[in-house]
Amino acid sequence: DAMVIQNPRYQVTQFGKPVTLSCSQTLNHNVMYWYQQKSSQAPKLLFHYYDKDFNNEADTPDNFQSRRPNTSFCFLDIRSPGLGDAAMYLCATSRALGLLYEQFFGPGTRLTVL
Amino acid sequence: AQTVTQSQPEMSVQEAETVTLSCTYDTSESDYYLFWYKQPPSRQMILVIRQEAYKQQNATENRFSVNFQKAAKSFSLKISDSQLGDAAMYFCAYKGVQGGSEKLVFGKGTKLTVNP
C-alpha cells in the first residue's frame, strides 16, 4: 500500500546532541510537511517542501532544519535539541499545494530529550 | 491569524450510540476547507471528513457527518452508531491561505472514549 513512513518511531537523544528524523513516502507526492505536536497540543507546522522549494514557517526556530534529497525522502534535523523540543514529530504529504489537496500523515516519531 | 477551538478535551460515548464533537474557528477568509482528522493511539492521523466552505450542504461519510454553520463559524462532527474502533483523538482543522501560503491549522483535539 502507498504510504508515509517515519523512522524511527521512538527516538531518544541527549540535550544538545544533534538528531535526525526520517520520512519517506511511496505516494509520489510533490509536497512534504513536518509538524511538531507537543503533549495535549495541536500539531504545528514547522515547514514544507514543494518539490525542492523549501518554505519555512515564520516562527520555526533556527534549531530546526530540513533536507529533501529526492521526491521520496525528507529529513528533519534538530541541531541542538533542548528539553522543550521533546514532542511527536509528524510527517505529511500531499499531491500538490492548494485547498483541495488532502494531506496524508505518517505515524510520527516521538522524540525524548534527556 | 486563523484559530481553531475544540472546547471538549475529552468525550465518551456508549457503543452504538451517537456523539457530537464541537469545533469553532475564527477567520476573515471566505474560501477555505474544514476537516476532521482521527488519530488512534500510536497510529497515523487519517482524514475522516472534509467540508468546503462554499458548499451549504453538510458533508457525510457513512456514520460520520458534520453540521457546518458558516455564519456561526461552527463545524461539529457527529458519529452515529459508535464503534469501539472509533476511539481516538479527533482533531478539527482549518485550511486556508495565509500570507499567500496555505496551511492546516489544528485544534487541540478531543479524546473520544467508546465504552462497550
Side-chain angles (χ1 to χ4, degrees):
Chain A
D1 288 339
M3 57 198 312
V4 181
I5 302 157
Q6 291 189 245
N7 286 307
R9 295 291 307 278
Y10 300 90
Q11 176 74 57
V12 180
T13 191
Q14 292 181 332
F15 183 93
K17 184 175 181 181
V19 65
T20 295
L21 309 183
S22 170
C23 177
S24 64
Q25 54 128 343
T26 61
L27 297 160
N28 203 33
H29 283 172
N30 295 107
V31 191
M32 295 187 77
Y33 307 82
W34 279 104
Y35 289 85
Q36 180 191 63
Q37 184 182 16
K38 294 188 177 181
S39 181
S40 302
Q41 293 188 24
K44 179 179 175 297
L45 182 65
L46 295 173
F47 27 60
H48 75 266
Y49 271 97
Y50 180 59
D51 292 333
K52 288 188 178 295
D53 184 21
F54 179 70
N55 190 317
N56 198 36
E57 292 299 304
D59 56 356
T60 298
D62 292 340
N63 198 26
F64 291 86
Q65 304 285 321
S66 186
R67 296 170 284 134
R68 189 179 185 186
N70 54 52
T71 299
S72 300
F73 284 87
C74 194
F75 300 99
L76 170 62
D77 300 308
I78 308 176
R79 291 192 296 186
S80 181
L83 297 179
D85 297 327
M88 177 75 84
Y89 290 88
L90 302 173
C91 176
T93 73
S94 66
R95 183 181 300 278
L97 293 175
L99 296 182
L100 174 65
Y101 296 101
E102 177 184 346
Q103 291 187 21
F104 293 82
F105 285 82
T109 294
R110 184 168 296 282
L111 178 68
T112 300
V113 181
L114 300 177
Chain B
Q2 285 78 1
T3 57
V4 176
T5 302
Q6 292 179 248
S7 59
Q8 306 152 318
E10 296 189 27
M11 291 281 284
S12 64
V13 63
Q14 290 297 124
E15 196 175 4
E17 295 192 346
T18 296
V19 64
T20 299
L21 308 184
S22 301
C23 174
T24 59
Y25 59 95
D26 187 26
T27 185
S28 58
E29 297 179 328
S30 58
D31 189 18
Y32 53 87
Y33 278 53
L34 295 164
F35 305 85
W36 278 99
Y37 279 88
K38 172 185 177 182
Q39 188 179 37
S42 302
R43 298 183 64 185
Q44 61 254 57
M45 200 176 309
I46 57 173
L47 180 65
V48 174
I49 197 165
R50 91 173 93 194
Q51 174 80 41
E52 295 91 334
Y54 65 86
K55 289 187 176 179
Q56 291 186 333
Q57 187 173 4
N58 289 324
T60 299
E61 288 285 344
N62 301 315
R63 297 183 295 107
F64 299 87
S65 61
V66 299
N67 183 3
F68 174 49
Q69 301 289 329
K70 190 172 184 179
K73 296 178 183 174
S74 171
F75 182 62
S76 61
L77 174 70
K78 185 171 83 171
I79 307 174
S80 304
D81 186 25
S82 298
Q83 301 175 0
L84 295 177
D86 295 333
M89 282 291 289
Y90 285 82
F91 291 95
C92 178
Y94 169 99
K95 189 177 185 183
V97 178
Q98 299 178 54
S101 176
E102 57 138 272
K103 63 189 295 183
L104 264 179
V105 178
F106 288 89
K108 289 189 175 184
T110 297
K111 182 180 180 181
L112 179 66
T113 301
V114 181
N115 300 310

